[in-house]
Amino acid sequence: MKWFIISLVVASLIGSVMWVMPSPRQRYQANLRLKARQLGILVQMARVSLPRALGEMEPEVRTIPAYRIARTNLERGERDNWSGWEVLRVDTLDHLGLIENWSWSKGQGTLQPEALERLNSLLEQLPDDVLGVESTPLSLTFYWDERGDETRLDLLYRLARPMLEQKI
């Protein structure tokens, strides 16, 4: 009986330790976010309210990682007069000028034609697990489900650079 109680206590301790250990998915996310931080990308959890999709009664609200790449090349006047925008991967009636399956959440009509063309080029190159892109005077943000590997993070960073440099 004594050995049974000892083995039960040991099993309980091992179970408790295993319960607190991060899962493989959590370890993957931690490594990915560490690499993002090394690239200068701020990762935050953000609540995104998707526009009401075609045929939907209620808009969907999701909590998703936001990968924010800071804008460092704007002067004060440019920041003060910045017209932010946000596009999300959802099919709505508010998609004027965007490629298929993308819709405006904020800022429709604020981009010049050449900037809109560059945005559409970016949207065509984005992986399927990127839910949206937002541009503010502080950062360019990708709402990303974190599927794939570190090469996907490198792709997002590489795609963001021209948008940041061209101040779109």
Side-chain angles (χ1 to χ4, degrees), residues 89 102 122-132 142-144 147-148 151-153 155-156 159:
R89 191 184 298 267
W102 287 88
L122 168 77
L123 297 178
E124 288 174 343
Q125 298 175 62
L126 289 177
D128 291 338
D129 57 346
V130 174
L131 177 69
F142 292 105
Y143 298 113
W144 180 37
R147 288 181 283 174
T151 59
R152 184 131 332 151
L153 176 62
L155 172 67
L156 293 178
L159 291 174

Side-chain angles (χ1 to χ4, degrees), residues 92-116:
T92 70
L93 295 176
D94 200 9
H95 60 271
L96 185 64
L98 296 175
I99 63 172
E100 188 177 351
N101 296 323
W102 287 88
S103 296
W104 294 100
S105 177
K106 299 181 219 167
Q108 179 181 356
T110 59
L111 294 179
Q112 298 297 321
E114 59 274 356
L116 185 59

Side-chain angles (χ1 to χ4, degrees), residues 5-45:
I5 293 173
I6 290 172
S7 61
L8 186 64
V9 169
V10 169
S12 174
L13 289 173
I14 291 173
S16 297
V17 167
M18 295 301 289
W19 185 62
V20 224
M21 296 279 292
S23 69
R25 172 82 176 150
Q26 290 169 329
R27 283 193 298 272
Y28 158 76
Q29 288 174 326
N31 289 334
L32 191 65
R33 292 171 185 177
L34 178 63
K35 175 158 177 149
R37 190 168 49 194
Q38 291 168 348
L39 290 172
I41 301 171
L42 174 66
V43 181
Q44 299 173 317
M45 295 305 289

Side-chain angles (χ1 to χ4, degrees), residues 52-60:
R52 193 168 52 96
L54 292 176
E56 297 285 325
M57 294 299 290
E58 295 291 325
E60 181 182 355

